[in-house]
């Protein structure tokens, strides 16, 4: 039987930049990049038996105006795999900002090819 680390174990291994938050009634790992973007790591609660995580890159601070910018599925449920995927999303968010995608409207148009 495969042992998947608990949310607390993952948070402890990944470090102080991560928090545990309840998002859509699920306890998830969460990291705010400090640049308007944040990431939700879903699928790591004890109830999940699939053994993979899904990462959501969000833009915005408040639920009513947040926008999912990118979704990364089937991430291994280890601190190493999650940490690497989150770091990649952080770099991606910084690249978006560098290319002028620094508002919800601009990101919405990019995501929907408008």
């Amino acid at each position: 039987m495969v042992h998947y680390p608990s949310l607390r174990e993952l948070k402890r291994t990944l470090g102080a930049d991560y928090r545990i938050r309840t998002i859509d009634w699920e306890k998830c790992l969460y990291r705010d990049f400090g640049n308007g973007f944040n990431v939700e790591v879903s699928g790591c609660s004890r109830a999940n038996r699939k053994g993979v995580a899904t990462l959501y890159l969000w833009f915005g601070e408040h639920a009513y105006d947040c926008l999912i910018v990118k979704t990364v599925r089937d991430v291994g449920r280890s601190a190493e795999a999650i940490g690497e995927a989150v770091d990649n999303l952080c770099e991606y968010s910084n690249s978006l900002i560098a290319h002028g995608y620094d508002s919800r409207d601009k990101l919405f148009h990019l995501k929907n090819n408008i």
Side-chain angles (χ1 to χ4, degrees):
M1 185 167 138
V2 177
H3 168 73
Y4 296 112
S6 69
L7 272 177
R8 290 193 191 282
E9 290 170 327
L10 287 168
K11 182 193 173 306
R12 188 170 34 252
T13 303
L14 289 165
D17 289 339
Y18 290 81
R19 297 185 319 182
I20 295 175
R21 291 185 63 181
T22 300
I23 301 172
D24 295 332
W25 299 281
E26 177 193 1
K27 287 192 182 242
C28 302
L29 287 173
Y30 172 88
R31 181 174 162 195
D32 187 336
F33 295 144
N35 62 2
F37 291 87
N38 57 75
V39 67
E40 167 193 351
V41 181
S42 176
C44 295
S45 66
R46 291 191 190 275
N48 177 21
R49 301 287 182 230
K50 293 186 294 185
V52 295
T54 302
L55 281 61
Y56 300 95
L57 177 65
W58 291 88
F59 181 82
E61 297 295 321
H62 306 285
Y64 61 86
D65 69 348
C66 282
L67 176 70
I68 294 176
V69 176
K70 186 171 185 174
T71 303
V72 179
R73 300 182 191 286
D74 299 324
V75 175
R77 228 168 99 188
S78 69
E80 182 178 88
I82 290 169
E84 182 178 327
V86 169
D87 287 346
N88 288 341
L89 286 174
C90 186
E91 289 176 24
Y92 178 70
S93 71
N94 287 328
S95 174
L96 287 171
I97 291 168
H99 286 92
Y101 296 102
D102 56 359
S103 72
R104 185 188 188 287
D105 287 344
K106 291 175 184 176
L107 288 162
F108 181 85
H109 285 92
L110 172 68
K111 183 177 176 184
N112 294 292
N113 297 316
I114 297 175

